[in-house]
């Protein structure tokens, strides 16, 4: 039976994402509005284990909705993946009177949240990652900003690529997930997109298409390569050698994780932050807030973690048709 929550903690964990501050702000202000106390846990689970815990009030989150990154900082923490680390974390929560926690992060962070829940600390997860690779939700905090940042950068590379009649390989983030690459592929009109979920490693096919497109009169050839495939610089060298077309590689890197969040990220993150507190107040635990089929919903953490997500086949096919 879930218990009543009086003091909640909030932390951000894993890779930061624009919009996390909007979520933190919504958690803090909704909680205060409902008469709860709020504590900020710095540096994710690492900060929890170090007892880096600060009191927060409405003013602690003033001037943050427009800021990228996370005001609570974030970290990865090996110790928290152990049973001893999780036990210590739950004890520290009890010591500080924290009986509910909102964890903003990705699947790894949700695994930690599930453990805290099993140890008696009511926990709610919010999906925060630029990668969009959380199966239970159609939206993750930070994806919209990151994909817009990448799109604008790729437009700029395209200008110079066309002027020099070059081939350009642009590497976007996504260690295991090709969503940023897919969306930019369509939005930037890339000639090729290489997704970890789809790429068969056949570089000769890629080379043949570049040559064929040049013969058809295309002045550039933009290849968006997801980080999960990587090796953009060496790929560029091989393509230049095989095609005779000057080829450059650009790795966009962490610039995609920073910057002022878009309206969508501020809006969705704010609603999700408020929903997380509502769930805690209703005595719920071990849930993840998601946006699915046009609605805000919540799932059991283990159920959410067992779901799988595929690159939508129709979107991938459309991306291929639109560049021919
Ligand atoms: P993300 O949350 O973005 O998927 P990570 O996979 O790096 O990022 O996970 C963030 C943190 O969550 C890890 O550093 C670790 O502290 C915690 N975590 C990950 N996996 C587990 C696990 N199986 N059990 C407990 N905590 C975990
Ligand atoms: O947060 C997701 C992500 O940006 C992935 O796309 C990327 O692979 C990873 O984090 C990089 O993490 P870091 O450089 O912070 O270790």
């Amino acid at each position: 039976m879930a218990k009543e929550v009086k003091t909640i903690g909030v932390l951000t964990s894993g890779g930061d994402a624009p919009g996390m501050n909007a979520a933190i702000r919504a958690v803090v202000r909704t909680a205060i509005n409902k008469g709860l106390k709020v504590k900020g846990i710095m540096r994710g689970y690492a900060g929890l284990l170090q007892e880096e815990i600060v009191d927060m009030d409405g003013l602690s989150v003033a001037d943050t909705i427009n800021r990228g990154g996370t005001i609570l900082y974030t970290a990865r923490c090996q110790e928290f993946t152990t049973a001893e680390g999780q036990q210590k974390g739950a004890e520290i929560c009890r010591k500080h009177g924290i009986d509910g926690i909102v964890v903003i992060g990705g699947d790894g962070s949700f695994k930690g949240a599930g453990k805290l829940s099993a140890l008696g600390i009511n926990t709610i997860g919010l999906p925060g990652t630029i990668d969009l690779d959380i199966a239970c939700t159609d939206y993750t905090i930070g994806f919209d900003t990151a994909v817009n940042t990448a799109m604008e950068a790729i437009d700029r590379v395209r200008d110079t690529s066309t002027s020099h009649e070059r081939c350009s390989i642009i590497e976007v983030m996504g260690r295991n997930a090709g969503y940023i690459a897919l969306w930019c592929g369509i939005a930037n009109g890339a000639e090729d997109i290489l997704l970890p979920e789809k790429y068969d490693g056949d570089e000769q096919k890629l080379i043949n298409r570049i040559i064929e497109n040049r013969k058809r009169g295309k002045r550039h050839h933009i290849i968006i390569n997801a980080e999960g495939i990587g090796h953009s610089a060496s790929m560029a060298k091989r393509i230049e050698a095989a095609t005779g077309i000057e080829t450059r590689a650009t790795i966009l890197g962490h610039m995609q994780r920073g910057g002022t969040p878009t309206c969508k990220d501020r809006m969705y993150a704010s609603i999700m932050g408020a929903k997380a507190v509502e769930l805690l107040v209703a005595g719920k635990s071990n849930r993840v807030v998601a946006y699915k089929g046009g609605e805000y919903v919540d799932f059991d953490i283990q159920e959410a973690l067992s779901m799988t997500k595929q690159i939508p086949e129709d979107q991938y096919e459309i991306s291929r048709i639109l560049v021919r």
Side-chain angles (χ1 to χ4, degrees):
M1 182 62 189
K3 61 186 184 304
E4 193 194 348
V5 166
K6 294 199 177 73
T7 301
I8 66 168
V10 54
L11 64 82
T12 48
S13 168
D16 68 336
M20 280 183 165
N21 287 329
I24 296 166
R25 173 176 173 272
V27 168
V28 172
R29 292 193 172 166
T30 308
I32 287 168
N33 176 266
K34 292 183 182 300
L36 307 179
K37 285 192 182 145
V38 190
K39 298 196 184 238
I41 300 165
M42 312 300 286
R43 300 178 181 81
Y45 296 121
L48 174 63
L49 297 186
Q50 296 298 318
E51 293 191 58
E52 294 181 56
I53 297 170
V54 296
D55 290 332
M56 294 185 90
D57 60 19
L59 276 180
S60 317
V61 288
D63 255 337
T64 60
I65 190 146
N66 55 324
R67 281 167 57 189
T70 159
I71 57 165
L72 293 177
Y73 302 99
T74 186
R76 296 191 170 96
C77 175
Q78 186 56 33
E79 188 184 352
F80 199 73
T81 62
T82 66
E84 299 73 39
Q86 293 151 13
Q87 190 69 48
K88 183 175 163 192
E91 276 158 24
I92 290 170
C93 286
R94 278 188 268 276
K95 178 176 160 193
H96 287 262
I98 296 171
D99 35 30
I101 290 201
V102 179
V103 170
I104 309 168
D107 278 344
S109 305
F110 294 164
K111 286 179 193 158
K115 303 288 184 191
L116 276 178
S117 179
L119 291 166
I121 310 298
N122 287 5
T123 54
I124 304 293
L126 292 186
T129 169
I130 64 162
D131 285 353
L132 196 67
D133 62 345
I134 298 179
C136 69
T137 184
D138 300 335
Y139 165 83
T140 61
I141 297 167
F143 174 75
D144 190 60
T145 306
V147 82
N148 274 290
T149 302
M151 182 191 73
E152 285 172 19
I154 294 165
D155 278 346
R156 286 172 166 76
V157 176
R158 184 193 180 112
D159 287 345
T160 167
S161 193
T162 306
S163 304
H164 286 261
E165 300 176 83
R166 280 176 176 155
C167 172
S168 290
I169 304 178
I170 303 155
E171 190 171 308
V172 297
M173 270 190 160
R175 191 179 287 152
N176 303 308
Y179 293 97
I180 296 179
L182 172 71
W183 281 53
C184 287
I186 294 180
N188 292 102
E191 276 68 29
D192 273 292
I193 49 175
L194 310 182
L195 315 181
E197 300 90 339
K198 293 274 175 200
Y199 186 50
D200 59 6
D202 188 346
E203 214 164 274
Q204 192 54 49
K205 227 163 43 189
L206 198 60
I207 287 164
N208 294 346
R209 255 199 314 272
I210 296 168
I211 295 170
E212 183 196 315
N213 273 339
R214 185 51 60 101
K215 282 190 190 145
R216 284 172 56 219
K218 281 224 173 188
R219 305 293 10 133
H220 62 247
H221 193 105
I222 304 285
I223 301 169
I224 298 180
N225 184 28
E227 177 192 359
I229 295 166
H231 303 290
S232 296
S234 55
M235 203 184 277
K237 286 202 178 101
R238 289 192 297 274
I239 287 175
E240 180 163 319
T243 62
I245 298 167
E246 268 193 320
T247 303
R248 297 284 191 270
T250 306
I251 298 171
L252 298 184
H254 288 86
M255 55 105 69
Q256 294 160 95
R257 282 226 305 245
T260 184
T262 58
C263 180
K264 179 171 180 173
D265 276 330
R266 298 181 200 193
M267 170 73 183
Y268 283 47
S270 296
I271 304 295
M272 286 182 156
K275 297 265 178 211
V277 175
E278 285 168 11
L279 287 171
L280 285 173
V281 168
K284 302 274 174 61
S285 180
N286 203 47
R287 310 290 297 174
V288 176
V289 178
Y291 186 80
K292 194 90 184 149
E295 280 181 55
Y296 294 96
V297 291
D298 54 279
F299 292 100
D300 172 84
I301 288 185
Q302 280 70 37
E303 185 193 354
L305 288 170
S306 70
M307 294 179 187
T308 55
K309 187 171 184 175
Q310 310 294 335
I311 289 284
E313 199 56 46
D314 56 339
Q315 293 180 18
Y316 183 68
E317 285 307 316
I318 288 168
S319 80
R320 306 293 69 229
I321 290 165
L322 296 187
V323 293
R324 293 287 168 255

